[in-house]
């Protein structure tokens, strides 16, 4: 699921009470991950809330709601937003470059795993001609760890082989990609 | 028996043979998967709630109770469950994975003990073991 789809979804506790709705996604640039969400009240007239939802407080991101254990996982909004900024801001708009020096495109959205374990698994990018898909947006899987600066993130050259435009089959592509990276890392170790 | 069949059942006092009201709605404790009380229509006074343990028998045609004195005004925890926001019929159903299963259409329960057996939702059936809690926004259920 694209993380921006979560915006405006209700935040519901396991007791079945809706305590907020998602206002915005807070991106943590350095890890390429999502730091959390800012929240708004549930009423028509209610504005932004003083509390934010840190990523670790999320039990599940579903089609219809974001599930949390209870209200105690909420933290002051400033704390959640500051964690994003401390990691040098926003993954969105960043240039994606392979370690082979090929520019793949720019990040337009973050793809997260849904269901009961939530995690960041890839990016949606506006591709360059290097990928050659008529400038249609594509999905790239994310390795377990990657280098990110304010304006750029470096991905392994193998990423090119796993570019897809199919969100439904993306989970399998991520698993395969990460397995292959681990295998080539192990082989590299033997040669050295 | 289903809530839809049991609704409007007369509630009869066995001591006087008078009708003390009729079944209007069911008060459910989702965490225990039980019916804990009935709310009656046409009760004589302000006391319109009948605790499950005060029912003499939940029969196929009528609910019997020893006398109208058994009816209470809900207070404390029971008042929270009786609140309209916690009505189970029509309530949105959400899994712990954040996916909607539609709304509660009907509930199959055991008239002998009050245990809930199955919930019928517009998204399919939900078993009693799946129930987590009934909140102001949704009935939370475990993913099957």
């Amino acid at each position: 699921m694209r993380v921006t789809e979560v915006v405006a979804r209700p935040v519901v506790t396991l007791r079945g009470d809706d305590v907020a709705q998602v206002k915005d996604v807070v991106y943590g640039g350095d890890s390429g991950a999502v730091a959390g969400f800012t929240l708004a009240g549930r009423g028509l007239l209610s504005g932004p809330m003083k509390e934010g939802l840190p990523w670790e407080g999320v039990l599940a991101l579903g089609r219809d709601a974001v599930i949390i254990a209870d209200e105690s996982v909420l933290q002051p909004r400033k704390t959640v937003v500051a964690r994003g900024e401390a990691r040098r801001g926003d993954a969105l708009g960043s240039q994606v470059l392979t370690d082979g020096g090929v520019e793949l495109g720019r990040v337009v959205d973050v793809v997260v795993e849904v269901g009961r374990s939530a995690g960041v698994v890839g990016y949606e990018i506006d591709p360059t001609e290097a990928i050659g898909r008529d400038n249609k947006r594509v999905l790239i899987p994310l390795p377990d760890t990657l280098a990110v600066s304010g304006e750029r993130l470096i991905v392994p050259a193998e990423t090119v082989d796993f570019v897809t435009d199919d969100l439904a089959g993306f989970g399998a592509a991520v698993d395969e990609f990460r397995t292959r990276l681990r295998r080539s890392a192990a082989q590299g170790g033997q040669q050295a | 028996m289903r809530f839809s069949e049991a609704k409007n059942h007369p509630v009869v006092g066995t001591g006087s043979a008078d009708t003390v009201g009729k079944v209007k709605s069911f008060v459910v404790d989702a965490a225990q998967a039980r019916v804990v009380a009935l709310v009656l229509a046409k009760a004589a006074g302000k006391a319109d709630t009948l605790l499950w343990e005060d029912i003499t028998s939940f029969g196929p045609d009528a609910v019997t109770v020893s006398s109208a004195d058994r009816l209470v005004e809900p207070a404390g925890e029971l008042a929270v469950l009786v609140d309209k926001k916690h009505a189970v019929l029509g309530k949105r159903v959400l899994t712990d994975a954040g996916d909607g299963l539609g709304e509660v259409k009907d509930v199959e329960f055991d008239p002998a003990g009050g245990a809930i057996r199955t919930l019928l939702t517009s998204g399919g059936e939900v078993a009693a073991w799946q129930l987590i809690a009934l909140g102001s926004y949704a009935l939370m259920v475990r993913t099957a």
Side-chain angles (χ1 to χ4, degrees), chain A residues 129-142:
Chain A
E129 284 168 10
I131 291 177
R133 299 217 183 190
D134 309 329
N135 295 328
K136 257 175 63 185
R137 288 176 173 186
V138 294
L139 305 167
I140 59 166
L142 214 56

Side-chain angles (χ1 to χ4, degrees), chain A:
Chain A
M1 181 168 67
R2 295 171 180 88
V3 76
T4 48
E5 290 174 33
V6 176
V7 170
R9 275 194 199 157
V11 177
V12 181
T13 67
L14 280 180
R15 292 185 59 83
D17 297 322
D18 53 337
V19 295
Q21 64 185 40
V22 175
K23 185 168 178 285
D24 272 311
V25 181
V26 180
Y27 295 96
D30 237 20
S31 62
V34 176
F37 304 100
T38 60
L39 303 174
R42 286 287 287 156
L44 262 182
L45 299 173
S46 46
M49 282 170 59
K50 289 197 192 85
E51 293 87 11
L53 173 59
W55 180 256
E56 310 80 62
V58 175
L59 287 184
L61 293 175
R63 285 191 309 269
D64 304 292
V66 177
I67 306 295
I68 61 173
D70 55 50
E71 285 181 274
S72 71
V73 303
L74 302 184
Q75 288 181 2
R77 183 177 180 277
K78 280 184 196 155
T79 312
V80 176
V81 173
R83 287 197 327 176
E85 284 166 358
R87 293 173 183 173
R88 280 178 281 166
D90 213 324
L92 295 192
S94 293
Q95 179 193 45
V96 181
L97 197 66
T98 69
D99 53 11
V102 180
E103 187 187 344
L104 298 183
R106 289 198 177 267
V107 176
V108 292
D109 210 336
V110 176
V111 181
V112 290
E113 209 166 28
V114 295
R116 277 181 293 181
S117 66
V120 176
V121 292
Y123 289 125
E124 184 174 40
I125 64 170
D126 230 344
T128 60
E129 284 168 10
I131 291 177
R133 299 217 183 190
D134 309 329
N135 295 328
K136 257 175 63 185
R137 288 176 173 186
V138 294
L139 305 167
I140 59 166
L142 214 56
D144 298 320
T145 55
L146 80 168
V148 183
S149 73
E151 71 265 14
R152 181 175 305 125
L153 47 109
I154 306 290
V155 297
E158 289 97 324
T159 305
V160 180
D161 300 335
F162 292 89
V163 169
T164 175
D165 50 14
D166 169 30
L167 189 56
F170 190 58
V174 172
D175 289 344
E176 199 186 328
F177 174 65
R178 289 183 174 176
T179 306
R180 178 152 140 197
L181 288 183
R182 274 193 288 273
R183 202 182 304 134
S184 51
Q187 282 167 358
Q190 280 165 4
Q191 282 162 11

Side-chain angles (χ1 to χ4, degrees), chain B residues 4-90:
Chain B
S4 57
E5 300 166 48
K7 199 184 165 183
N8 294 326
H9 256 36
V11 179
V12 178
T14 51
S16 58
D18 284 340
T19 301
V20 299
K22 57 180 188 175
V23 178
K24 185 168 85 177
S25 62
F26 298 83
V27 183
V28 166
D29 183 336
Q32 293 187 58
R34 307 188 59 80
V35 182
V36 292
L38 306 174
V39 178
L40 309 190
K42 304 199 169 150
K46 268 191 171 179
D48 65 350
T49 305
L50 179 59
L51 293 176
W52 187 271
E53 57 261 34
D54 290 334
I55 293 173
T56 305
S57 182
F58 205 116
D61 305 304
V63 178
T64 54
V65 61
S66 58
S67 94
D69 299 343
R70 294 288 187 170
L71 299 186
V72 295
E73 273 187 75
E77 259 184 63
L78 184 63
V80 176
L81 294 177
V82 169
D83 188 279
K84 277 208 175 59
K85 278 204 264 179
H86 290 89
V88 67
L89 289 181

